[in-house]
Amino acid sequence: MLQTILHQLWNQRRQNAWIFLELLVVSFFLWTVIDPIYVLTANRAIDRGYNPEGLYVVNIGMYDETNGNFDPDMASDSMNLVAYTRLARIVREQPEVDSWSISANQSFPNSNSWSGTQVFADTASLHKGEGYVHAQWYNFITLDGSNLLRTYGMKDARTGGDIRLPEQTQGKVFISELLARRLFGTADVVGRKVYEGDTPSEVAGVFRDFKHRDYEQPYPLIVRMYDDMQGSPYMAWMYPFVLRLKPGVDVSAFKQRFQQEVAPQLSVGNFYLDSLKEFSELSEDYAMKSGVTNKLRLQYALTGFALLCIFLGMVGTFWIRSNARRGEIGVMRSMGASQGCIVRQFLIEAWLLLTVAFVLVIPFLLYHAHTSGLYMVEMRSYFVPNPAYGQNRFGFHFTVVLALSYLVLVLIALVGTYIPVRRAARALPVEALREE
């Protein structure tokens, strides 16, 4: 059968030329639009490194001089600190709260803030200004049981269990597994020193890699602890509260009660409740604001358009070819060929056309990937891709997108071919032979 099919394709090369050219163009185009979808989806699939269920951010607002509610007697740093400490006490004492954190400088996932630092493994590298790892940093205040690591559900990199804070937190830090491995080549670094300046910090624990953005990859992360807050006009921005609800709490009832009963209590001094947001809301808001949502929508639309073009092209081409070869189909049916046999022959013809076109496009795709680069979410200029993730390895990345593109093309092409061919093959031999 294969020899017969190849003979048919060669004899009808003029009729096949247009669909072949379409397959060439669409094969290239489809690879380029699937590439970002693959990267963003693969990044999203990476473990967050924390548990977002039941997590809320309490954002505090602050009146300024232009607002009628502004109280100048409560505007000093000392009075701001007194008022904000009262807010913290009100938040942590809510009966639905299991754990909480004063996550300084918006140190929580999908926040509007991103802060980085240079971390060194020894003083020799520090003084030379080389051999450092660029890392993101989170800060939190260890006041009245505030515990960022417990609240977020971050886990020990070695045991997978909960992380305990040391009795003495000053001069100690927690670091991510990725940061530990890049600094020391191993995750077993508890008790070792790291440097951001001349003063060393002791590593109190190593946690599993942590994602700050859902559609990005984990960045090396260092978590610092402070004993107390500092009075400031910027306290509302500097010290948002993060809450984890107790298991089994009715979320809708909690949110309603918080807005009705707790929000009025949070009007202290010049401070007020600005918003109560779930971590999932923060993720969606950031994805929309950063353009990730629109990027995915655009890529899905382009992919759908390309597939529709292929589908309509294959249906139209094989509808015409099927009608033009009704006599051939009639002869095959009269000689005992089944409908399934005829359909298979036409499907193989379509598959061969597609495969040849796709193979011819691969060198151009390779050239495009080498010159333009594979799609990557550029998190920061210091970002160093982690080869543990397949989307960061050129060969694996290129092959996966190539395979996805080919499989999608094959599926659409075969469906677009099957519809008209199945209709033609169901015709009675006598009817078909009238065309012969």
Side-chain angles (χ1 to χ4, degrees), residues 2 19 63 71 102 148 150 162 172 202 244 289 295 298 338 344 350 369 373 380 386 412:
L2 183 59
I19 189 65
Y63 300 121
D71 184 354
I102 305 175
L148 181 148
R150 180 173 182 266
D162 294 334
K172 297 184 179 181
E202 180 183 335
R244 176 175 293 282
K289 183 173 62 178
K295 177 69 175 178
L298 174 63
S338 65
R344 279 196 299 274
R380 291 291 180 273
N386 186 350
I412 296 300

Side-chain angles (χ1 to χ4, degrees), residues 189-219:
V189 297
V190 174
R192 300 180 73 167
K193 306 292 185 181
V194 295
Y195 298 82
E196 294 174 78
D198 289 328
T199 303
S201 298
E202 180 183 335
V203 178
V206 179
F207 52 86
R208 289 179 176 174
D209 290 337
F210 186 95
K211 287 203 300 184
H212 187 62
R213 312 287 192 207
D214 283 353
Y215 286 97
E216 297 178 357
Q217 297 175 21
Y219 204 89

Side-chain angles (χ1 to χ4, degrees), residues 57-102:
V57 176
V58 180
N59 290 306
I60 302 298
M62 188 174 184
Y63 300 121
D64 59 20
E65 295 87 346
T66 62
N67 192 287
N69 294 317
F70 178 75
D71 184 354
D73 295 332
M74 296 291 292
S76 66
D77 288 351
S78 59
M79 295 307 296
N80 282 335
L81 180 59
V82 170
Y84 214 85
T85 302
R86 181 179 172 188
L87 294 180
R89 187 180 307 113
I90 294 171
V91 168
R92 71 177 172 83
E93 289 179 351
Q94 296 310 306
E96 300 93 340
V97 174
D98 178 72
S99 55
W100 78 304
S101 171
I102 305 175

Side-chain angles (χ1 to χ4, degrees), residues 54-326:
L55 281 174
Y56 288 81
V57 176
V58 180
N59 290 306
I60 302 298
M62 188 174 184
Y63 300 121
D64 59 20
E65 295 87 346
T66 62
N67 192 287
N69 294 317
F70 178 75
D71 184 354
D73 295 332
M74 296 291 292
S76 66
D77 288 351
S78 59
M79 295 307 296
N80 282 335
L81 180 59
V82 170
Y84 214 85
T85 302
R86 181 179 172 188
L87 294 180
R89 187 180 307 113
I90 294 171
V91 168
R92 71 177 172 83
E93 289 179 351
Q94 296 310 306
E96 300 93 340
V97 174
D98 178 72
S99 55
W100 78 304
S101 171
I102 305 175
S103 299
N105 302 105
Q106 301 212 350
S107 298
F108 51 86
N110 297 297
S111 68
N112 294 323
S113 178
W114 198 106
S115 301
T117 183
Q118 295 176 353
V119 184
F120 297 82
D122 52 62
T123 53
S125 299
L126 173 67
H127 295 146
K128 291 179 181 178
E130 60 184 27
Y132 64 85
V133 175
H134 192 266
Q136 185 183 8
W137 54 260
Y138 275 8
N139 293 338
F140 75 100
I141 310 301
T142 58
L143 179 70
D144 293 333
S146 167
N147 187 336
L148 181 148
L149 297 104
R150 180 173 182 266
T151 302
Y152 293 1
M154 299 163 74
K155 300 298 181 182
D156 185 272
R158 185 175 59 86
T159 66
D162 294 334
I163 301 176
R164 289 179 172 271
L165 295 187
E167 293 184 5
Q168 174 57 255
T169 58
Q170 292 309 292
K172 297 184 179 181
V173 295
F174 290 87
I175 64 175
S176 68
E177 183 176 4
L178 179 60
L179 178 55
R181 292 190 182 280
R182 289 194 173 167
L183 283 173
F184 303 105
T186 177
D188 188 15
V189 297
V190 174
R192 300 180 73 167
K193 306 292 185 181
V194 295
Y195 298 82
E196 294 174 78
D198 289 328
T199 303
S201 298
E202 180 183 335
V203 178
V206 179
F207 52 86
R208 289 179 176 174
D209 290 337
F210 186 95
K211 287 203 300 184
H212 187 62
R213 312 287 192 207
D214 283 353
Y215 286 97
E216 297 178 357
Q217 297 175 21
Y219 204 89
L221 177 64
I222 183 169
V223 177
R224 299 187 295 233
M225 300 162 283
Y226 297 95
D227 286 340
D228 212 341
M229 295 183 287
Q230 300 296 317
S232 165
Y234 308 104
M235 290 190 74
W237 180 86
M238 292 171 61
Y239 302 114
F241 308 119
V242 178
L243 311 177
R244 176 175 293 282
L245 302 186
K246 294 176 180 177
V249 169
D250 186 326
V251 171
S252 59
F254 165 74
K255 293 172 70 174
Q256 184 177 5
R257 191 189 74 79
F258 198 92
Q259 294 293 343
Q260 293 176 354
E261 299 179 17
V262 183
Q265 301 178 44
L266 297 179
S267 292
V268 180
N270 289 314
F271 298 110
Y272 63 93
L273 174 66
D274 180 66
S275 64
L276 173 70
K277 287 195 172 185
E278 296 180 64
F279 267 36
S280 58
E281 291 181 70
L282 295 172
S283 174
E284 293 170 5
D285 290 347
Y286 182 80
M288 179 63 73
K289 183 173 62 178
S290 64
V292 169
T293 300
N294 289 334
K295 177 69 175 178
L296 282 171
R297 288 174 179 173
L298 174 63
Q299 298 306 123
Y300 283 129
L302 292 173
T303 302
F305 175 74
L307 297 181
L308 180 63
C309 290
I310 297 170
F311 178 77
L312 294 178
M314 298 299 284
V315 169
T317 298
F318 279 89
W319 197 289
I320 296 172
R321 290 182 64 188
S322 299
N323 287 330
R325 295 168 64 181
R326 286 173 62 86

